[in-house]
Amino acid sequence: MHNVSRIAAILLVVLATVLALVAFTLGKRRQETETVPPPVAAAPAAPLIPTKVAHVVVATQMLPGGEVIAASSLREVTVSAAPEGSYEQPDVLVGEVPRVNIPEGTVITSSLLSNPIAMQIRPGERALAVPVDEISGVGYRVQPGDYVDVVLTLKIADPSPTGMVITKEHSESRLLASRLRVLAYGVRDLPNVGAVATSAPAKPEQAEPPPKMAVLAVPLEDIDPLVLGAQSGKLSLALRHPGDDGMPSNLLFPAPATVLAPRGDLTGEQRGWLASPENRAYAGVDEPSLIGRSKVTAPRPTSRASAPAGLEIIRGSGAAPAPHTSLAVNP
């Protein structure tokens, strides 16, 4: 009996020791779990957004105002944002004329260049605005860049046989100028090729106002008739196909008298100068000349050989004989 009690005591001691070891092990594991922070999940990498770049043209040297821009004075650079009205390629700026001095390194914009309409005028031409409405303006179907003829309609008073009392009126119409380029029509201009337009806040759409004028590229010798025709009668535009280059000839009709008579002491060479577009426009035209009722002048030269020796009329960018090949209604 004594041995049994002794064996039981030993087993209890062993069991207590085992339980103590188990409790120690479990406590140590719990402590390690509490001290080690749980792993943090890595945040997903933000997607790479490509940086926006733009191409602009800058001056490589000072560009004097009023002088033609050469290709060697321009270069293309990359910027983060393009200014409004800047250009992406140097080629479109070659031949343009600055309205002011442009310092070296300046981004060239359309606001620094000469009037776009003025740059579209060819040598010997002038830009002239004529009034239009729905009827005279081809139903508002004309666009900048089109070609038009200009027709004048006049109301003529018919006097009585005695010449004292006006009895009635009648209308007369005639072609004043042919194949004139339209530079602007109402609020629409020729497109500014190559310019970069920055995005603007959206605005409510507004109806375009009806055009009230058309800006035409007019040969200098046709300026007087068109201005006088707009004051004395009604001008109408006739739209024509851009490939139709047919022109009337002023060599078939006598030239009307000028407002200013030439001086009587002119030399033969100086009299030949009277046929130049600049001098004919300076001499002027009166209302009877528009309808062929003024006193006619001597016939103008019909060939270069008939002009005084050494005289050559220069029109536009090339030489031409003294007579103009389009219908010139001014004297």
Side-chain angles (χ1 to χ4, degrees), residues 246-312:
M247 301 286 286
S249 173
N250 62 356
L251 304 180
L252 306 178
F253 309 96
T258 59
V259 174
L260 297 179
R263 290 171 45 178
D265 58 348
L266 299 179
T267 65
E269 182 179 5
Q270 290 173 335
R271 287 191 173 276
W273 298 346
L274 296 175
S276 71
E278 292 78 9
N279 287 324
R280 295 186 62 81
Y282 187 83
V285 61
D286 56 11
E287 185 173 306
S289 298
L290 296 180
I291 55 175
R293 295 193 176 186
S294 64
K295 182 180 178 181
V296 298
T297 60
R300 67 189 71 179
T302 58
S303 66
R304 188 176 302 178
S306 62
L311 176 65
E312 189 175 53

Side-chain angles (χ1 to χ4, degrees), residues 63-64 66-70 74 87 90-99 108 110 112-116 118-120 192-193:
L63 303 178
E67 296 186 10
V68 176
I69 299 177
L74 307 170
Y87 295 82
D91 295 346
V92 300
L93 289 171
V94 176
E96 295 287 341
V97 178
R99 67 172 72 183
I108 301 177
S110 57
L112 299 176
L113 303 177
S114 296
N115 188 325
M119 295 303 297
Q120 294 291 332
N192 192 2
V193 180

Side-chain angles (χ1 to χ4, degrees), residues 5-330:
S5 301
R6 188 176 179 180
I7 292 172
I10 293 173
L11 292 175
L12 291 175
V13 172
V14 172
L15 180 60
T17 303
V18 172
L19 293 175
L21 292 174
V22 172
F24 176 77
T25 302
L26 293 176
K28 187 176 181 181
R29 290 181 177 178
R30 180 178 181 182
Q31 184 179 4
E32 290 177 354
T33 304
E34 292 177 353
T35 56
V36 178
V40 179
L48 296 178
I49 301 176
T51 304
K52 293 183 178 181
V53 296
H55 299 276
V56 297
V57 179
V58 301
T60 59
Q61 61 187 28
M62 197 275 288
L63 303 178
E67 296 186 10
V68 176
I69 299 177
S72 59
S73 302
L74 307 170
R75 67 185 177 94
E76 180 184 336
V77 300
T78 302
V79 294
S80 58
E84 182 177 2
S86 59
Y87 295 82
E88 295 181 334
Q89 298 180 351
D91 295 346
V92 300
L93 289 171
V94 176
E96 295 287 341
V97 178
R99 67 172 72 183
V100 295
N101 293 339
I102 301 179
E104 178 182 353
T106 302
V107 177
I108 301 177
T109 61
S110 57
S111 61
L112 299 176
L113 303 177
S114 296
N115 188 325
I117 289 183
M119 295 303 297
Q120 294 291 332
I121 300 174
R122 299 165 184 166
E125 291 181 339
R126 303 293 185 267
L128 181 67
V130 298
V132 296
D133 55 27
E134 185 174 6
I135 302 301
S136 64
V138 199
Y140 301 143
R141 297 301 195 273
V142 178
Q143 296 183 6
D146 286 340
Y147 288 84
V148 296
D149 293 343
V150 182
V151 179
L152 169 67
T153 302
L154 278 174
K155 288 188 177 297
I156 308 299
D158 295 329
S160 64
T162 61
M164 300 298 295
V165 180
I166 297 177
T167 58
K168 61 179 181 177
E169 291 183 340
H170 73 276
S171 297
E172 294 186 2
S173 179
R174 64 163 304 187
L175 182 69
L176 283 188
S178 277
R179 208 171 190 274
L180 303 183
R181 289 183 300 126
V182 180
L183 303 178
Y185 192 74
V187 298
R188 289 173 287 167
D189 294 337
L190 287 170
N192 192 2
V193 180
V196 177
T198 58
S199 58
K203 296 181 180 180
E205 293 187 1
Q206 297 180 353
E208 183 178 298
K212 295 182 179 180
M213 64 84 195
V215 179
L216 309 177
V218 181
L220 183 57
E221 60 267 32
D222 293 335
I223 291 288
D224 289 344
L226 289 176
V227 172
L228 186 58
Q231 298 295 324
S232 303
K234 183 178 180 62
L235 299 180
S236 298
L237 305 184
L239 184 64
R240 60 187 294 165
H241 190 280
D244 181 1
D245 56 0
M247 301 286 286
S249 173
N250 62 356
L251 304 180
L252 306 178
F253 309 96
T258 59
V259 174
L260 297 179
R263 290 171 45 178
D265 58 348
L266 299 179
T267 65
E269 182 179 5
Q270 290 173 335
R271 287 191 173 276
W273 298 346
L274 296 175
S276 71
E278 292 78 9
N279 287 324
R280 295 186 62 81
Y282 187 83
V285 61
D286 56 11
E287 185 173 306
S289 298
L290 296 180
I291 55 175
R293 295 193 176 186
S294 64
K295 182 180 178 181
V296 298
T297 60
R300 67 189 71 179
T302 58
S303 66
R304 188 176 302 178
S306 62
L311 176 65
E312 189 175 53
I313 305 303
I314 305 298
R315 302 188 68 257
S317 58
H324 179 40
T325 56
S326 67
L327 180 60
V329 300
N330 57 300

